[in-house]
């Protein structure tokens, strides 16, 4: 007797083809793929020909716990995740207190085990004096370095500290690549000290493309110097793509987020501070180069940088308005809508959002539908289009920058560890995710 059988599905394979038939789960694993499953099951779902995908792995979210749970917490963020077909997430350390040692990591792990309906993993945050913790805490998916200031108080921007971190240890380093010196310089030059508040669009000028390129180049040079495994987070500029095209050895990977693919500086007129994030949205002609970088393999994976703030906080005048926006529950429908439009393929979506993140962070047994792999799955409806609505957002923030957009590919069911957790708009009680394991992700 199986725990779960999904019948009459179009089962996505890594090469982009689909197997029509049934899928069976037992003890948290995929046991049968394709054909007809006639054995009894504790639960049976009729997929009615809909597409069954591996669960998405979102390798960059900010769920704000501890310290800012009025915006989000691990439980609410994970519920938003499974609503969007995300079955595993990696959470960032810039909470309060920041995740910079074993004590804080243990607290998060214990909290997540009690509240998270998706699988979870955590970064350890770099400071200028916690080198021992960076290389010793377990389990951590990687070291997060903020080379430029963002939400929270983690910042490592001097060459001596960066060199010390890159030259000691083997754990993957993920960088928020914006140059702090240039941010401060351009802030002083461009942001008026008095008078009427400047427009929110000034944010994209303060943190201009050169701000990102300087920091990305610096991190790449340190990675090359020490052979250190490096992941460049939320790559946002055409300049970075072209630089990495000729400066990306095997130990370096990179990612892009939907906000830089689907939003641009013209959206400030419509969204105001809701479009403000770090690194910022770019000029309209920038996204095409990011898309090309994805297709070419210069950019390896897609994350969301889900970073919610309340609308009250967002309503503050610039530069006091915080950077960041929700995104964990819309990333898969955004990409599947693009697939329907012919802009990417089913194989690419799985490589960018499922298997790629698992490979990048050394997460075993996830990211594809194969017998013996973990039964983290999402059944989506490619034929139905539904509008993004603020009032339907699961994130505690209660809004989306994509509100009003018509998207297809919304999840019908999300399965975590062989158990249905999201069921046609509802979270089922009593289903929780598990802590992720991290194998050696060194290139």
């Amino acid at each position: 007797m199986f725990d779960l059988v999904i019948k009459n599905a179009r089962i996505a394979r890594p090469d982009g083809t689909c197997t029509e038939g049934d899928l069976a789960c037992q003890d948290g694993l995929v046991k049968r793929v394709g054909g007809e499953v006639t054995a009894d099951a504790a639960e049976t779902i009729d997929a009615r020909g809909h597409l069954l995908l591996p669960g998405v792995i979102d390798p960059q979210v900010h769920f704000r716990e501890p310290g800012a749970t009025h915006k989000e917490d691990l439980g609410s963020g994970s519920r938003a995740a499974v609503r969007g077909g995300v079955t595993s997430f990696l959470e960032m350390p810039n909470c309060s207190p920041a995740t910079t040692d074993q004590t804080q990591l243990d607290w998060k792990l214990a909290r997540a085990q009690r509240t998270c309906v998706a699988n979870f993993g955590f970064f350890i945050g770099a400071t200028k004096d916690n080198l021992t913790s960076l290389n010793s805490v377990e389990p951590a998916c990687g070291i997060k370095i903020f080379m430029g200031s963002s939400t929270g108080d983690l910042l490592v921007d001097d060459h001596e500290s960066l060199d010390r971190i890159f030259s000691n240890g083997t754990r993957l380093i993920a960088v928020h690549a914006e140059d702090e010196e240039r941010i401060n310089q351009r802030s002083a030059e461009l942001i008026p000290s008095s008078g009427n508040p400047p427009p929110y669009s000034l944010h994209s000028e303060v943190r201009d493309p050169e701000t990102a390129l300087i920091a990305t180049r610096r991190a790449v040079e340190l990675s090359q110097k020490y052979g250190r495994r490096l992941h460049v987070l939320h790559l946002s500029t055409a300049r970075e793509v072209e630089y990495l095209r000729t400066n990306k050895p095997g130990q370096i990977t990179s990612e892009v987020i939907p906000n830089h693919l689907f939003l641009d500086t013209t959206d400030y007129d419509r969204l105001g501070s809701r479009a403000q994030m770090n690194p910022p949205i770019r000029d309209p002609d920038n996204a095409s180069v990011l898309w090309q970088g994805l297709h070419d393999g210069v950019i390896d994976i897609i994350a969301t940088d889900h970073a919610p703030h309340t609308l009250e906080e967002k309503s503050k005048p610039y530069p006091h308005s915080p950077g960041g926006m929700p995104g964990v529950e819309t990333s898969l429908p955004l990409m599947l809508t693009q697939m329907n439009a012919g802009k990417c393929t089913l194989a690419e979506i799985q490589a960018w959002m499922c298997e790629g993140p698992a490979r990048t962070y050394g997460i075993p047994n996830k990211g594809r539908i194969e017998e013996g792999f973990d039964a983290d799955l999402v059944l989506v409806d490619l034929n139905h289009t539904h509008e993004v609505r603020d009032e339907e957002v699961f994130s505690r923030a209660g809004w989306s920058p994509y509100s009003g957009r018509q998207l297809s590919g919304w999840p019908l069911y999300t399965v975590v560890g062989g158990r249905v957790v999201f069921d046609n708009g509802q979270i089922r009680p009593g289903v929780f995710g598990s802590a992720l394991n991290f194998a050696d992700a060194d290139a």
Side-chain angles (χ1 to χ4, degrees):
M1 182 172 178
F2 293 114
D3 296 327
L4 174 68
V5 170
I6 302 174
K7 300 188 73 66
N8 306 314
R10 291 176 57 238
I11 304 168
R13 310 317 301 256
D15 63 0
T17 62
C18 290
T19 297
E20 296 188 2
D22 303 346
L23 180 142
C25 306
Q26 181 70 31
D27 299 327
L29 302 176
V30 174
K31 290 294 187 180
R32 291 268 302 274
V33 178
E36 182 181 4
V37 175
T38 57
D40 291 337
E43 180 172 6
T44 299
I45 293 171
D46 185 355
R48 295 178 296 168
H50 290 303
L51 178 65
L52 186 65
L53 287 161
V56 170
I57 300 172
D58 189 340
Q60 188 188 178
V61 301
H62 302 261
F63 285 167
R64 306 302 193 202
E65 188 175 12
T69 54
H70 65 287
K71 309 181 198 212
E72 197 80 280
D73 61 31
L74 291 166
S76 66
S78 70
R79 291 190 290 275
V82 298
R83 188 246 176 162
V86 174
T87 54
S88 300
F89 65 83
L90 303 180
E91 208 261 349
M92 288 296 170
N94 56 325
C95 42
S96 181
T99 315
T100 57
D101 57 30
Q102 191 69 55
T103 298
Q104 293 304 321
L105 179 61
D106 287 344
W107 187 92
K108 273 192 173 179
L109 287 164
R111 180 66 175 166
Q113 287 168 352
R114 297 193 301 271
T115 63
C116 282
V117 297
N119 304 310
F120 48 86
F122 299 103
F123 282 85
I124 182 75
T127 70
K128 297 179 181 181
D129 57 7
N130 71 334
L131 183 62
T132 300
S133 290
L134 295 182
N135 293 317
S136 65
V137 299
E138 294 290 353
C141 59
I143 297 166
K144 172 65 178 288
I145 300 180
F146 287 89
M147 299 176 71
S149 55
S150 188
T151 304
D153 56 5
L154 291 176
L155 176 65
V156 181
D157 61 337
D158 65 285
H159 183 76
E160 181 181 354
S161 297
L162 289 168
D163 191 89
R164 184 168 62 251
I165 294 170
F166 271 84
S167 63
N168 286 275
T170 61
R171 178 167 279 164
L172 176 149
I173 294 173
V175 293
H176 177 124
E178 291 187 287
D179 183 67
E180 182 70 7
E181 182 178 357
R182 186 170 177 86
I183 292 172
N184 292 334
Q185 174 192 347
R186 291 182 65 79
S187 295
E189 292 174 353
L190 299 175
I191 300 175
S193 58
S194 60
N196 293 327
Y200 295 110
S201 59
L202 186 63
H203 191 65
S204 291
E205 297 180 46
V206 171
R207 296 176 180 242
D208 66 345
E210 187 67 17
T211 300
L213 180 60
I214 290 170
T216 293
R217 184 187 296 120
R218 191 178 184 188
V220 168
E221 289 171 352
L222 284 167
S223 172
Q224 291 173 323
K225 180 179 179 180
Y226 295 110
R228 187 66 181 267
R229 179 75 175 85
L230 170 67
H231 183 70
V232 183
L233 298 161
H234 42 45
L235 205 73
S236 66
T237 71
R239 294 186 191 181
E240 291 169 287
V241 173
E242 296 311 317
Y243 170 72
L244 288 179
R245 197 174 291 281
T246 55
N247 294 275
K248 189 171 176 262
Q251 77 268 17
I252 297 177
T253 53
S254 65
E255 73 185 29
V256 69
I257 67 175
N259 300 338
H260 294 125
L261 296 175
F262 301 109
L263 300 174
D264 60 56
T265 49
T266 65
D267 289 301
Y268 281 116
D269 291 338
R270 178 175 58 90
L271 295 172
S273 66
R274 296 192 192 194
Q276 182 187 332
M277 60 172 298
N278 305 321
I281 56 177
R282 305 297 183 185
D283 291 340
D285 59 353
N286 185 75
S288 62
V289 182
L290 298 178
W291 274 104
Q292 193 60 52
L294 271 170
H295 292 306
D296 294 346
V298 177
I299 302 174
D300 300 274
I301 60 175
I302 291 174
T304 67
D305 195 20
H306 173 90
H309 299 281
T310 67
L311 288 177
E312 180 181 2
E313 291 164 333
K314 278 289 194 178
S315 69
K316 294 178 181 179
Y318 188 77
H320 305 292
S321 49
M325 60 185 83
V328 72
E329 60 195 286
T330 51
S331 61
L332 182 60
L334 280 165
M335 295 305 297
L336 289 174
T337 301
Q338 294 302 302
M339 184 189 77
N340 278 348
K343 194 154 188 176
C344 56
T345 68
L346 180 58
E348 287 177 320
I349 287 178
Q350 292 180 89
W352 297 336
M353 304 183 77
C354 308
E355 190 167 10
R359 182 174 57 252
T360 297
Y361 287 96
I363 306 172
N365 229 47
K366 293 191 184 294
R368 55 195 295 162
I369 298 178
E370 299 282 1
E371 292 180 5
F373 269 58
D374 292 343
D376 298 332
L377 310 162
V378 56
L379 185 70
V380 301
D381 186 351
L382 292 177
N383 302 315
H384 176 68
T385 299
H386 185 75
E387 180 182 326
V388 181
R389 300 169 182 161
D390 285 349
E391 60 269 24
E392 295 177 355
V393 167
F394 275 41
S395 168
R396 185 163 291 158
W399 62 275
S400 168
Y402 302 104
S403 183
R405 292 206 187 196
Q406 298 285 339
L407 301 180
S408 55
W410 290 96
L412 300 169
Y413 293 90
T414 302
V415 177
V416 174
R419 300 178 67 191
V420 175
V421 63
F422 178 79
D423 179 351
N424 290 282
Q426 302 295 320
I427 302 292
R428 288 195 186 179
V431 181
F432 297 96
S434 302
L436 295 169
N437 297 314
F438 304 103
D440 186 2
D442 293 348

